[in-house]
Amino acid sequence: MSFPYKKNIEKSMKKFYDSLCEKNKRRYAAIESEKLSHGGVNYISALLECDPKTIRQGKKELTELELDITGIRQPGGGRKKRPLPLNTVELKFPNNYLW
């Protein structure tokens, strides 16, 4: 089946699809089928070896999806900032400088 994509592209799509979790597999398959419009669901389901119902479920999820722009990381994560010790701070003025 070489409907719209070349064999090397199909291989890459399948490899990428297999690396995703279930939720993202549904959504990826839905997006790919939307690109192809008529016959896209059948082509993508055969290519990615998934059920057409899975693609329809992915389409439904995408329409109901509320975009989460906050990101994955929690605020406050990572290395905590520490103040520099006083002995590492260099003074810009000579010791005999008077105000």
Side-chain angles (χ1 to χ4, degrees), residues 17-98:
Y17 177 80
D18 290 338
S19 73
L20 298 173
C21 69
E22 289 298 317
K23 175 177 68 173
N24 291 333
K25 282 182 177 183
R26 287 191 301 268
R27 293 175 179 178
Y28 175 69
I31 289 171
E32 287 296 330
S33 71
E34 284 292 317
K35 287 182 190 177
L36 304 176
S37 65
H38 184 69
V41 173
N42 292 331
Y43 173 71
I44 295 298
S45 68
L47 173 65
L48 301 178
E49 298 171 0
C50 65
D51 196 281
K53 286 186 272 184
T54 303
I55 297 175
R56 286 193 288 275
Q57 177 64 31
K59 285 183 180 183
K60 182 180 174 190
E61 288 175 6
L62 287 172
T63 57
E64 296 170 353
L65 182 67
E66 292 181 24
L67 292 180
D68 182 20
I69 57 172
T70 58
I72 294 173
R73 296 183 183 253
Q74 298 281 332
R79 183 175 291 178
K80 304 298 180 213
K81 298 200 186 302
R82 290 185 356 193
L84 289 174
L86 289 177
N87 59 357
T88 62
V89 178
E90 295 181 24
L91 296 175
K92 301 273 184 189
F93 302 107
N95 290 338
N96 60 2
Y97 185 79
L98 299 174

